[in-house]
Amino acid sequence: MARLYVVRTSCCPVNIRDYGHAPTLHTLIFYKEITTISDFGSSFIKLKIMEDYKELLQDLIEINNDRIAGYTKAIELLSEYGDDDLRQVFVQYRSQTQTFVSQLTPFLTEEGETPTTSTRTTGKLFRLWMDIKGSISGHDRRSILESCERGEDAFKRTYEEAIRELDEVPTSLANIIRQQAEQQYMAHNHIKTLRDAS
C-alpha cells in the first residue's frame, strides 16, 4: 500500500497525506508513518511544526547574544579598575558563548533562517541594572560579579525550559543543548564562588 504520513503544517491541521516518501524537516519535525487506519485511531501522535522548532533555536541564540553583551559590558567596566583575573574569566565565558552560537546556528541556516542578532528584553534590563548599581557602588568587583550572576541565572532558566522540550528536537541538537547547559552550569557556579569570595 502507499505510505501515508500524519502531518501538521503551519497552514492546516493534522491530516493524512500520501507523500510517497518521508516528509523532510523543511515540512515538519516529527511524523509517524501509518500503514492502517487503526494505527492512526489508536495512537496519540504528538506533532511539532517547524515554526516552534525555529522559535526554540532563536530563543537560545537570543539569550546567548545577551550573555555575550553582558560579559562585554562587564569587561568594559573592569578595564578602568584592574582585576585582571576577572577580565580573563569574563573573556573566557564570552568566548564560550560565541561558540554556543556557532554550534546552534547551522540548525537554523539549514532551514533557510537567519539567526537573530538581538538580545532579550531581560538582558537589556540586566545591563541597565549593572549601570545603575555601578554608579552607586563605583563598579566594584562584587557588584559586577552580582550582575553577572543575575545574567547567568536568566541564561540557566532559558536552557532549563529548552531541556524540557528535548524529546521534540533532533538528537544531535538535544545533545548540543545538554552540553551547553552543563558548561553554563559550571560557569554559573564559578561566578557565584567568585562573588562570595569578593
Side-chain angles (χ1 to χ4, degrees), residues 71-82:
Y71 277 117
T72 298
K73 178 65 175 178
I75 291 167
E76 291 173 357
L77 295 178
L78 285 175
S79 64
E80 301 177 17
Y81 300 97

Side-chain angles (χ1 to χ4, degrees), residues 2-183:
R3 290 188 174 185
L4 300 177
Y5 297 87
V6 181
V7 176
R8 174 175 295 187
T9 67
S10 58
C11 61
C12 59
V14 173
N15 59 83
I16 302 177
R17 294 177 60 183
D18 178 6
Y19 275 84
H21 57 81
T24 66
L25 269 178
H26 294 280
T27 306
L28 71 163
I29 299 177
F30 300 103
Y31 63 88
K32 180 180 177 66
E33 180 180 349
I34 60 175
T35 56
T36 67
I37 295 300
S38 62
D39 287 342
F40 176 71
S42 63
S43 300
F44 175 77
I45 305 170
K46 186 174 184 180
L47 302 167
K48 189 76 170 174
I49 62 174
M50 181 55 66
E51 288 306 311
D52 290 341
Y53 174 65
K54 294 175 183 176
E55 183 179 355
L56 172 66
L57 284 167
Q58 293 286 22
D59 283 347
L60 293 177
I61 290 175
E62 195 173 53
I63 194 65
N64 275 286
N65 290 342
D66 184 54
R67 192 176 186 229
I68 291 169
Y71 277 117
T72 298
K73 178 65 175 178
I75 291 167
E76 291 173 357
L77 295 178
L78 285 175
S79 64
E80 301 177 17
Y81 300 97
D83 291 318
D84 289 340
D85 59 327
L86 281 189
R87 185 177 296 103
Q88 292 176 10
V89 170
F90 295 163
V91 168
Q92 174 189 345
Y93 291 147
R94 182 177 64 180
S95 176
Q96 178 189 73
T97 317
Q98 291 166 339
T99 298
F100 288 174
V101 172
S102 69
Q103 291 172 336
L104 296 171
T105 295
F107 291 93
L108 271 178
T109 56
E110 71 183 9
E111 300 304 328
E113 288 288 307
T114 301
T116 181
T117 58
S118 66
T119 57
R120 300 165 74 93
T121 301
T122 53
K124 294 174 183 176
L125 292 175
F126 157 63
R127 291 191 299 280
L128 177 62
W129 182 88
M130 183 182 283
D131 284 339
I132 293 173
K133 179 156 187 173
S135 67
I136 297 172
S137 60
H139 292 142
D140 66 278
R141 183 182 179 98
R142 184 177 181 85
S143 66
I144 292 172
L145 286 166
E146 286 175 346
S147 297
C148 290
E149 186 184 5
R150 284 174 177 257
E152 293 289 3
D153 284 338
F155 188 99
K156 184 171 67 172
R157 285 193 297 272
T158 300
Y159 267 71
E160 286 172 346
E161 292 172 4
I163 287 173
R164 286 194 287 270
E165 301 178 20
L166 288 189
D167 289 342
E168 301 176 358
V169 303
T171 301
S172 55
L173 175 59
N175 290 338
I176 288 173
I177 292 173
R178 287 192 185 95
Q179 290 167 6
Q180 291 183 354
E182 289 173 2
Q183 292 178 56

